[in-house]
PDB file of all heavy atoms in Angstrom:
ATOM      1  N   GLU A   3      -7.182   0.214  -5.970  1.00 82.00           N
ATOM      2  CA  GLU A   3      -6.381   0.187  -4.780  1.00 82.00           C
ATOM      3  C   GLU A   3      -6.137  -1.270  -4.412  1.00 82.00           C
ATOM      4  O   GLU A   3      -6.847  -2.163  -4.773  1.00 82.00           O
ATOM      5  CB  GLU A   3      -7.024   0.960  -3.645  1.00 82.00           C
ATOM      6  CG  GLU A   3      -8.251   0.371  -2.998  1.00 82.00           C
ATOM      7  CD  GLU A   3      -8.038  -0.638  -1.923  1.00 82.00           C
ATOM      8  OE1 GLU A   3      -6.963  -0.654  -1.255  1.00 82.00           O
ATOM      9  OE2 GLU A   3      -8.869  -1.516  -1.783  1.00 82.00           O
ATOM     10  N   GLY A   4      -5.079  -1.436  -3.636  1.00 84.00           N
ATOM     11  CA  GLY A   4      -4.738  -2.784  -3.207  1.00 84.00           C
ATOM     12  C   GLY A   4      -3.343  -3.179  -3.676  1.00 84.00           C
ATOM     13  O   GLY A   4      -2.712  -2.461  -4.453  1.00 84.00           O
ATOM     14  N   ILE A   5      -2.917  -4.324  -3.185  1.00 83.00           N
ATOM     15  CA  ILE A   5      -1.551  -4.768  -3.480  1.00 83.00           C
ATOM     16  C   ILE A   5      -1.303  -4.985  -4.965  1.00 83.00           C
ATOM     17  O   ILE A   5      -0.173  -4.900  -5.434  1.00 83.00           O
ATOM     18  CB  ILE A   5      -1.207  -5.965  -2.649  1.00 83.00           C
ATOM     19  CG1 ILE A   5       0.280  -6.217  -2.636  1.00 83.00           C
ATOM     20  CG2 ILE A   5      -1.989  -7.216  -3.090  1.00 83.00           C
ATOM     21  CD1 ILE A   5       0.773  -7.139  -1.548  1.00 83.00           C
ATOM     22  N   PHE A   6      -2.343  -5.278  -5.729  1.00 88.00           N
ATOM     23  CA  PHE A   6      -2.169  -5.584  -7.172  1.00 88.00           C
ATOM     24  C   PHE A   6      -2.478  -4.385  -8.093  1.00 88.00           C
ATOM     25  O   PHE A   6      -2.405  -4.496  -9.279  1.00 88.00           O
ATOM     26  CB  PHE A   6      -2.973  -6.820  -7.558  1.00 88.00           C
ATOM     27  CG  PHE A   6      -2.598  -8.033  -6.839  1.00 88.00           C
ATOM     28  CD1 PHE A   6      -3.436  -8.557  -5.877  1.00 88.00           C
ATOM     29  CD2 PHE A   6      -1.364  -8.622  -7.069  1.00 88.00           C
ATOM     30  CE1 PHE A   6      -3.031  -9.727  -5.157  1.00 88.00           C
ATOM     31  CE2 PHE A   6      -0.953  -9.742  -6.399  1.00 88.00           C
ATOM     32  CZ  PHE A   6      -1.807 -10.317  -5.411  1.00 88.00           C
ATOM     33  N   ALA A   7      -2.822  -3.244  -7.506  1.00 91.00           N
ATOM     34  CA  ALA A   7      -3.208  -2.077  -8.280  1.00 91.00           C
ATOM     35  C   ALA A   7      -2.079  -1.627  -9.223  1.00 91.00           C
ATOM     36  O   ALA A   7      -2.328  -1.162 -10.343  1.00 91.00           O
ATOM     37  CB  ALA A   7      -3.672  -0.922  -7.416  1.00 91.00           C
ATOM     38  N   ALA A   8      -0.836  -1.795  -8.778  1.00 93.00           N
ATOM     39  CA  ALA A   8       0.308  -1.358  -9.608  1.00 93.00           C
ATOM     40  C   ALA A   8       0.392  -2.157 -10.908  1.00 93.00           C
ATOM     41  O   ALA A   8       1.032  -1.702 -11.853  1.00 93.00           O
ATOM     42  CB  ALA A   8       1.612  -1.486  -8.824  1.00 93.00           C
ATOM     43  N   GLU A   9      -0.257  -3.310 -10.964  1.00 94.00           N
ATOM     44  CA  GLU A   9      -0.235  -4.109 -12.168  1.00 94.00           C
ATOM     45  C   GLU A   9      -0.830  -3.387 -13.379  1.00 94.00           C
ATOM     46  O   GLU A   9      -0.471  -3.713 -14.498  1.00 94.00           O
ATOM     47  CB  GLU A   9      -1.014  -5.414 -11.944  1.00 94.00           C
ATOM     48  CG  GLU A   9      -0.554  -6.302 -10.826  1.00 94.00           C
ATOM     49  CD  GLU A   9       0.664  -7.075 -11.218  1.00 94.00           C
ATOM     50  OE1 GLU A   9       0.958  -7.272 -12.367  1.00 94.00           O
ATOM     51  OE2 GLU A   9       1.393  -7.486 -10.238  1.00 94.00           O
ATOM     52  N   ILE A  10      -1.714  -2.453 -13.135  1.00 95.00           N
ATOM     53  CA  ILE A  10      -2.394  -1.759 -14.244  1.00 95.00           C
ATOM     54  C   ILE A  10      -1.825  -0.367 -14.530  1.00 95.00           C
ATOM     55  O   ILE A  10      -2.323   0.314 -15.451  1.00 95.00           O
ATOM     56  CB  ILE A  10      -3.913  -1.709 -14.046  1.00 95.00           C
ATOM     57  CG1 ILE A  10      -4.230  -0.833 -12.824  1.00 95.00           C
ATOM     58  CG2 ILE A  10      -4.508  -3.089 -13.927  1.00 95.00           C
ATOM     59  CD1 ILE A  10      -5.730  -0.518 -12.681  1.00 95.00           C
ATOM     60  N   VAL A  11      -0.827   0.054 -13.821  1.00 95.00           N
ATOM     61  CA  VAL A  11      -0.268   1.406 -13.960  1.00 95.00           C
ATOM     62  C   VAL A  11       0.195   1.669 -15.405  1.00 95.00           C
ATOM     63  O   VAL A  11      -0.218   2.640 -16.006  1.00 95.00           O
ATOM     64  CB  VAL A  11       0.874   1.667 -12.961  1.00 95.00           C
ATOM     65  CG1 VAL A  11       1.590   2.976 -13.315  1.00 95.00           C
ATOM     66  CG2 VAL A  11       0.341   1.725 -11.546  1.00 95.00           C
ATOM     67  N   GLU A  12       1.008   0.826 -15.931  1.00 95.00           N
ATOM     68  CA  GLU A  12       1.587   1.047 -17.246  1.00 95.00           C
ATOM     69  C   GLU A  12       0.528   1.105 -18.369  1.00 95.00           C
ATOM     70  O   GLU A  12       0.547   1.945 -19.232  1.00 95.00           O
ATOM     71  CB  GLU A  12       2.635   0.037 -17.569  1.00 95.00           C
ATOM     72  CG  GLU A  12       3.509   0.346 -18.781  1.00 95.00           C
ATOM     73  CD  GLU A  12       4.106   1.769 -18.722  1.00 95.00           C
ATOM     74  OE1 GLU A  12       4.638   2.158 -17.700  1.00 95.00           O
ATOM     75  OE2 GLU A  12       4.019   2.507 -19.730  1.00 95.00           O
ATOM     76  N   GLU A  13      -0.437   0.163 -18.281  1.00 95.00           N
ATOM     77  CA  GLU A  13      -1.509   0.170 -19.282  1.00 95.00           C
ATOM     78  C   GLU A  13      -2.373   1.434 -19.188  1.00 95.00           C
ATOM     79  O   GLU A  13      -2.757   2.002 -20.202  1.00 95.00           O
ATOM     80  CB  GLU A  13      -2.352  -1.098 -19.087  1.00 95.00           C
ATOM     81  CG  GLU A  13      -3.475  -1.223 -20.126  1.00 95.00           C
ATOM     82  CD  GLU A  13      -2.976  -1.349 -21.592  1.00 95.00           C
ATOM     83  OE1 GLU A  13      -1.807  -1.666 -21.863  1.00 95.00           O
ATOM     84  OE2 GLU A  13      -3.813  -1.113 -22.488  1.00 95.00           O
ATOM     85  N   CYS A  14      -2.665   1.842 -17.958  1.00 94.00           N
ATOM     86  CA  CYS A  14      -3.436   3.098 -17.774  1.00 94.00           C
ATOM     87  C   CYS A  14      -2.665   4.288 -18.322  1.00 94.00           C
ATOM     88  O   CYS A  14      -3.235   5.152 -18.969  1.00 94.00           O
ATOM     89  CB  CYS A  14      -3.775   3.310 -16.288  1.00 94.00           C
ATOM     90  SG  CYS A  14      -5.055   2.176 -15.679  1.00 94.00           S
ATOM     91  N   ARG A  15      -1.353   4.290 -18.047  1.00 95.00           N
ATOM     92  CA  ARG A  15      -0.507   5.378 -18.562  1.00 95.00           C
ATOM     93  C   ARG A  15      -0.510   5.377 -20.088  1.00 95.00           C
ATOM     94  O   ARG A  15      -0.686   6.414 -20.721  1.00 95.00           O
ATOM     95  CB  ARG A  15       0.930   5.221 -18.027  1.00 95.00           C
ATOM     96  CG  ARG A  15       1.865   6.347 -18.448  1.00 95.00           C
ATOM     97  CD  ARG A  15       3.209   6.235 -17.811  1.00 95.00           C
ATOM     98  NE  ARG A  15       3.133   6.619 -16.431  1.00 95.00           N
ATOM     99  CZ  ARG A  15       3.516   5.873 -15.377  1.00 95.00           C
ATOM    100  NH1 ARG A  15       4.052   4.726 -15.545  1.00 95.00           N
ATOM    101  NH2 ARG A  15       3.384   6.342 -14.139  1.00 95.00           N
ATOM    102  N   ARG A  16      -0.370   4.201 -20.672  1.00 96.00           N
ATOM    103  CA  ARG A  16      -0.390   4.077 -22.157  1.00 96.00           C
ATOM    104  C   ARG A  16      -1.654   4.574 -22.776  1.00 96.00           C
ATOM    105  O   ARG A  16      -1.650   5.213 -23.807  1.00 96.00           O
ATOM    106  CB  ARG A  16      -0.111   2.586 -22.498  1.00 96.00           C
ATOM    107  CG  ARG A  16       0.112   2.381 -24.012  1.00 96.00           C
ATOM    108  CD  ARG A  16       0.245   0.898 -24.343  1.00 96.00           C
ATOM    109  NE  ARG A  16      -1.003   0.159 -24.180  1.00 96.00           N
ATOM    110  CZ  ARG A  16      -2.041   0.263 -25.042  1.00 96.00           C
ATOM    111  NH1 ARG A  16      -1.981   1.064 -26.088  1.00 96.00           N
ATOM    112  NH2 ARG A  16      -3.110  -0.451 -24.893  1.00 96.00           N
ATOM    113  N   ARG A  17      -2.742   4.326 -22.108  1.00 96.00           N
ATOM    114  CA  ARG A  17      -4.053   4.754 -22.613  1.00 96.00           C
ATOM    115  C   ARG A  17      -4.427   6.198 -22.255  1.00 96.00           C
ATOM    116  O   ARG A  17      -5.485   6.646 -22.643  1.00 96.00           O
ATOM    117  CB  ARG A  17      -5.130   3.817 -22.075  1.00 96.00           C
ATOM    118  CG  ARG A  17      -5.032   2.432 -22.645  1.00 96.00           C
ATOM    119  CD  ARG A  17      -6.142   1.545 -22.093  1.00 96.00           C
ATOM    120  NE  ARG A  17      -6.022   0.203 -22.525  1.00 96.00           N
ATOM    121  CZ  ARG A  17      -7.047  -0.606 -22.687  1.00 96.00           C
ATOM    122  NH1 ARG A  17      -8.270  -0.202 -22.381  1.00 96.00           N
ATOM    123  NH2 ARG A  17      -6.838  -1.818 -23.092  1.00 96.00           N
ATOM    124  N   GLY A  18      -3.554   6.821 -21.538  1.00 94.00           N
ATOM    125  CA  GLY A  18      -3.820   8.219 -21.124  1.00 94.00           C
ATOM    126  C   GLY A  18      -4.851   8.339 -20.014  1.00 94.00           C
ATOM    127  O   GLY A  18      -5.503   9.377 -19.867  1.00 94.00           O
ATOM    128  N   LEU A  19      -5.011   7.298 -19.245  1.00 93.00           N
ATOM    129  CA  LEU A  19      -6.012   7.295 -18.192  1.00 93.00           C
ATOM    130  C   LEU A  19      -5.437   7.467 -16.774  1.00 93.00           C
ATOM    131  O   LEU A  19      -6.158   7.469 -15.803  1.00 93.00           O
ATOM    132  CB  LEU A  19      -6.717   5.911 -18.194  1.00 93.00           C
ATOM    133  CG  LEU A  19      -7.438   5.543 -19.483  1.00 93.00           C
ATOM    134  CD1 LEU A  19      -7.972   4.139 -19.440  1.00 93.00           C
ATOM    135  CD2 LEU A  19      -8.590   6.552 -19.717  1.00 93.00           C
ATOM    136  N   LEU A  20      -4.121   7.615 -16.655  1.00 92.00           N
ATOM    137  CA  LEU A  20      -3.504   7.648 -15.348  1.00 92.00           C
ATOM    138  C   LEU A  20      -3.345   9.067 -14.826  1.00 92.00           C
ATOM    139  O   LEU A  20      -2.674   9.892 -15.434  1.00 92.00           O
ATOM    140  CB  LEU A  20      -2.113   7.014 -15.427  1.00 92.00           C
ATOM    141  CG  LEU A  20      -1.401   6.786 -14.112  1.00 92.00           C
ATOM    142  CD1 LEU A  20      -2.178   5.711 -13.287  1.00 92.00           C
ATOM    143  CD2 LEU A  20       0.004   6.361 -14.288  1.00 92.00           C
ATOM    144  N   ALA A  21      -4.013   9.338 -13.727  1.00 90.00           N
ATOM    145  CA  ALA A  21      -3.862  10.651 -13.076  1.00 90.00           C
ATOM    146  C   ALA A  21      -2.757  10.611 -12.060  1.00 90.00           C
ATOM    147  O   ALA A  21      -2.115  11.564 -11.764  1.00 90.00           O
ATOM    148  CB  ALA A  21      -5.177  11.098 -12.433  1.00 90.00           C
ATOM    149  N   GLY A  22      -2.550   9.411 -11.444  1.00 91.00           N
ATOM    150  CA  GLY A  22      -1.508   9.230 -10.424  1.00 91.00           C
ATOM    151  C   GLY A  22      -1.515   7.805 -10.002  1.00 91.00           C
ATOM    152  O   GLY A  22      -2.544   7.100 -10.071  1.00 91.00           O
ATOM    153  N   ALA A  23      -0.362   7.349  -9.539  1.00 94.00           N
ATOM    154  CA  ALA A  23      -0.232   5.959  -9.062  1.00 94.00           C
ATOM    155  C   ALA A  23       0.692   5.987  -7.834  1.00 94.00           C
ATOM    156  O   ALA A  23       1.830   6.445  -7.938  1.00 94.00           O
ATOM    157  CB  ALA A  23       0.332   5.053 -10.125  1.00 94.00           C
ATOM    158  N   TYR A  24       0.181   5.580  -6.697  1.00 94.00           N
ATOM    159  CA  TYR A  24       0.918   5.684  -5.484  1.00 94.00           C
ATOM    160  C   TYR A  24       0.933   4.366  -4.716  1.00 94.00           C
ATOM    161  O   TYR A  24      -0.019   3.644  -4.693  1.00 94.00           O
ATOM    162  CB  TYR A  24       0.312   6.751  -4.561  1.00 94.00           C
ATOM    163  CG  TYR A  24       0.142   8.072  -5.299  1.00 94.00           C
ATOM    164  CD1 TYR A  24      -1.092   8.474  -5.779  1.00 94.00           C
ATOM    165  CD2 TYR A  24       1.216   8.897  -5.541  1.00 94.00           C
ATOM    166  CE1 TYR A  24      -1.235   9.637  -6.470  1.00 94.00           C
ATOM    167  CE2 TYR A  24       1.091  10.088  -6.200  1.00 94.00           C
ATOM    168  CZ  TYR A  24      -0.157  10.452  -6.680  1.00 94.00           C
ATOM    169  OH  TYR A  24      -0.288  11.635  -7.374  1.00 94.00           O
ATOM    170  N   ALA A  25       2.070   4.105  -4.140  1.00 94.00           N
ATOM    171  CA  ALA A  25       2.209   2.961  -3.214  1.00 94.00           C
ATOM    172  C   ALA A  25       2.463   3.577  -1.834  1.00 94.00           C
ATOM    173  O   ALA A  25       3.418   4.383  -1.669  1.00 94.00           O
ATOM    174  CB  ALA A  25       3.405   2.099  -3.645  1.00 94.00           C
ATOM    175  N   LEU A  26       1.647   3.250  -0.855  1.00 92.00           N
ATOM    176  CA  LEU A  26       1.777   3.856   0.431  1.00 92.00           C
ATOM    177  C   LEU A  26       3.067   3.367   1.141  1.00 92.00           C
ATOM    178  O   LEU A  26       3.344   2.180   1.219  1.00 92.00           O
ATOM    179  CB  LEU A  26       0.562   3.505   1.306  1.00 92.00           C
ATOM    180  CG  LEU A  26      -0.706   4.208   0.955  1.00 92.00           C
ATOM    181  CD1 LEU A  26      -1.835   3.787   1.937  1.00 92.00           C
ATOM    182  CD2 LEU A  26      -0.579   5.727   0.962  1.00 92.00           C
ATOM    183  N   ARG A  27       3.791   4.321   1.619  1.00 93.00           N
ATOM    184  CA  ARG A  27       4.963   4.076   2.430  1.00 93.00           C
ATOM    185  C   ARG A  27       4.597   4.415   3.859  1.00 93.00           C
ATOM    186  O   ARG A  27       4.395   5.561   4.186  1.00 93.00           O
ATOM    187  CB  ARG A  27       6.123   4.966   1.942  1.00 93.00           C
ATOM    188  CG  ARG A  27       7.406   4.630   2.695  1.00 93.00           C
ATOM    189  CD  ARG A  27       8.532   5.563   2.351  1.00 93.00           C
ATOM    190  NE  ARG A  27       8.656   5.716   0.922  1.00 93.00           N
ATOM    191  CZ  ARG A  27       9.249   6.738   0.340  1.00 93.00           C
ATOM    192  NH1 ARG A  27       9.765   7.701   1.038  1.00 93.00           N
ATOM    193  NH2 ARG A  27       9.310   6.802  -0.973  1.00 93.00           N
ATOM    194  N   ARG A  28       4.491   3.381   4.682  1.00 92.00           N
ATOM    195  CA  ARG A  28       4.104   3.563   6.032  1.00 92.00           C
ATOM    196  C   ARG A  28       5.149   2.992   6.978  1.00 92.00           C
ATOM    197  O   ARG A  28       5.892   2.083   6.557  1.00 92.00           O
ATOM    198  CB  ARG A  28       2.766   2.833   6.355  1.00 92.00           C
ATOM    199  CG  ARG A  28       1.599   3.441   5.645  1.00 92.00           C
ATOM    200  CD  ARG A  28       0.332   2.760   6.046  1.00 92.00           C
ATOM    201  NE  ARG A  28      -0.786   3.566   5.692  1.00 92.00           N
ATOM    202  CZ  ARG A  28      -2.009   3.082   5.596  1.00 92.00           C
ATOM    203  NH1 ARG A  28      -2.268   1.810   5.860  1.00 92.00           N
ATOM    204  NH2 ARG A  28      -2.990   3.853   5.238  1.00 92.00           N
ATOM    205  N   PRO A  29       5.224   3.429   8.168  1.00 94.00           N
ATOM    206  CA  PRO A  29       6.164   2.862   9.152  1.00 94.00           C
ATOM    207  C   PRO A  29       5.809   1.373   9.345  1.00 94.00           C
ATOM    208  O   PRO A  29       4.685   1.037   9.692  1.00 94.00           O
ATOM    209  CB  PRO A  29       5.969   3.638  10.450  1.00 94.00           C
ATOM    210  CG  PRO A  29       5.322   4.932   9.996  1.00 94.00           C
ATOM    211  CD  PRO A  29       4.526   4.584   8.772  1.00 94.00           C
ATOM    212  N   ARG A  30       6.750   0.491   9.074  1.00 94.00           N
ATOM    213  CA  ARG A  30       6.459  -0.951   9.092  1.00 94.00           C
ATOM    214  C   ARG A  30       6.031  -1.441  10.441  1.00 94.00           C
ATOM    215  O   ARG A  30       5.141  -2.269  10.533  1.00 94.00           O
ATOM    216  CB  ARG A  30       7.696  -1.736   8.641  1.00 94.00           C
ATOM    217  CG  ARG A  30       8.012  -1.475   7.195  1.00 94.00           C
ATOM    218  CD  ARG A  30       9.187  -2.259   6.694  1.00 94.00           C
ATOM    219  NE  ARG A  30      10.066  -2.795   7.718  1.00 94.00           N
ATOM    220  CZ  ARG A  30      11.047  -3.628   7.510  1.00 94.00           C
ATOM    221  NH1 ARG A  30      11.306  -4.018   6.308  1.00 94.00           N
ATOM    222  NH2 ARG A  30      11.772  -4.067   8.475  1.00 94.00           N
ATOM    223  N   GLY A  31       6.604  -0.936  11.485  1.00 94.00           N
ATOM    224  CA  GLY A  31       6.205  -1.390  12.837  1.00 94.00           C
ATOM    225  C   GLY A  31       4.771  -1.019  13.124  1.00 94.00           C
ATOM    226  O   GLY A  31       4.018  -1.806  13.731  1.00 94.00           O
ATOM    227  N   ALA A  32       4.392   0.162  12.743  1.00 94.00           N
ATOM    228  CA  ALA A  32       2.978   0.602  12.991  1.00 94.00           C
ATOM    229  C   ALA A  32       2.032  -0.208  12.170  1.00 94.00           C
ATOM    230  O   ALA A  32       0.944  -0.608  12.672  1.00 94.00           O
ATOM    231  CB  ALA A  32       2.870   2.097  12.628  1.00 94.00           C
ATOM    232  N   THR A  33       2.426  -0.559  10.946  1.00 93.00           N
ATOM    233  CA  THR A  33       1.532  -1.422  10.101  1.00 93.00           C
ATOM    234  C   THR A  33       1.379  -2.769  10.765  1.00 93.00           C
ATOM    235  O   THR A  33       0.316  -3.341  10.836  1.00 93.00           O
ATOM    236  CB  THR A  33       2.144  -1.498   8.694  1.00 93.00           C
ATOM    237  OG1 THR A  33       2.217  -0.215   8.115  1.00 93.00           O
ATOM    238  CG2 THR A  33       1.295  -2.458   7.835  1.00 93.00           C
ATOM    239  N   PHE A  34       2.500  -3.317  11.256  1.00 96.00           N
ATOM    240  CA  PHE A  34       2.520  -4.617  11.914  1.00 96.00           C
ATOM    241  C   PHE A  34       1.561  -4.581  13.094  1.00 96.00           C
ATOM    242  O   PHE A  34       0.690  -5.489  13.244  1.00 96.00           O
ATOM    243  CB  PHE A  34       3.940  -5.009  12.370  1.00 96.00           C
ATOM    244  CG  PHE A  34       3.959  -6.178  13.343  1.00 96.00           C
ATOM    245  CD1 PHE A  34       3.879  -7.456  12.815  1.00 96.00           C
ATOM    246  CD2 PHE A  34       4.040  -6.014  14.684  1.00 96.00           C
ATOM    247  CE1 PHE A  34       3.944  -8.563  13.667  1.00 96.00           C
ATOM    248  CE2 PHE A  34       4.100  -7.064  15.562  1.00 96.00           C
ATOM    249  CZ  PHE A  34       4.045  -8.348  15.056  1.00 96.00           C
ATOM    250  N   LEU A  35       1.645  -3.577  13.950  1.00 96.00           N
ATOM    251  CA  LEU A  35       0.801  -3.492  15.105  1.00 96.00           C
ATOM    252  C   LEU A  35      -0.691  -3.285  14.768  1.00 96.00           C
ATOM    253  O   LEU A  35      -1.559  -3.915  15.386  1.00 96.00           O
ATOM    254  CB  LEU A  35       1.283  -2.371  16.040  1.00 96.00           C
ATOM    255  CG  LEU A  35       2.625  -2.616  16.716  1.00 96.00           C
ATOM    256  CD1 LEU A  35       3.061  -1.391  17.472  1.00 96.00           C
ATOM    257  CD2 LEU A  35       2.577  -3.845  17.613  1.00 96.00           C
ATOM    258  N   ARG A  36      -0.973  -2.454  13.773  1.00 95.00           N
ATOM    259  CA  ARG A  36      -2.359  -2.260  13.344  1.00 95.00           C
ATOM    260  C   ARG A  36      -2.990  -3.526  12.838  1.00 95.00           C
ATOM    261  O   ARG A  36      -4.105  -3.908  13.167  1.00 95.00           O
ATOM    262  CB  ARG A  36      -2.464  -1.143  12.289  1.00 95.00           C
ATOM    263  CG  ARG A  36      -2.584   0.239  12.790  1.00 95.00           C
ATOM    264  CD  ARG A  36      -3.004   1.239  11.742  1.00 95.00           C
ATOM    265  NE  ARG A  36      -2.205   1.198  10.545  1.00 95.00           N
ATOM    266  CZ  ARG A  36      -1.090   1.940  10.352  1.00 95.00           C
ATOM    267  NH1 ARG A  36      -0.675   2.718  11.323  1.00 95.00           N
ATOM    268  NH2 ARG A  36      -0.401   1.850   9.268  1.00 95.00           N
ATOM    269  N   ARG A  37      -2.182  -4.234  11.957  1.00 94.00           N
ATOM    270  CA  ARG A  37      -2.680  -5.490  11.386  1.00 94.00           C
ATOM    271  C   ARG A  37      -2.903  -6.531  12.487  1.00 94.00           C
ATOM    272  O   ARG A  37      -3.928  -7.202  12.478  1.00 94.00           O
ATOM    273  CB  ARG A  37      -1.685  -5.991  10.362  1.00 94.00           C
ATOM    274  CG  ARG A  37      -2.096  -7.264   9.635  1.00 94.00           C
ATOM    275  CD  ARG A  37      -1.064  -7.762   8.715  1.00 94.00           C
ATOM    276  NE  ARG A  37      -0.777  -6.838   7.587  1.00 94.00           N
ATOM    277  CZ  ARG A  37       0.394  -6.329   7.285  1.00 94.00           C
ATOM    278  NH1 ARG A  37       1.488  -6.698   7.956  1.00 94.00           N
ATOM    279  NH2 ARG A  37       0.507  -5.537   6.288  1.00 94.00           N
TER     280      ARG A  37
END
Side-chain angles (χ1 to χ4, degrees):
E3 71 84 27
I5 195 164
F6 299 110
E9 301 282 338
I10 65 171
V11 169
E12 192 52 45
E13 182 63 18
C14 288
R15 183 175 284 126
R16 187 184 72 71
R17 292 180 183 208
L19 301 172
L20 188 68
Y24 308 101
L26 287 181
R27 182 185 314 158
R28 292 184 165 163
R30 293 181 345 171
T33 300
F34 168 80
L35 292 174
R36 273 195 306 273
R37 183 183 295 126

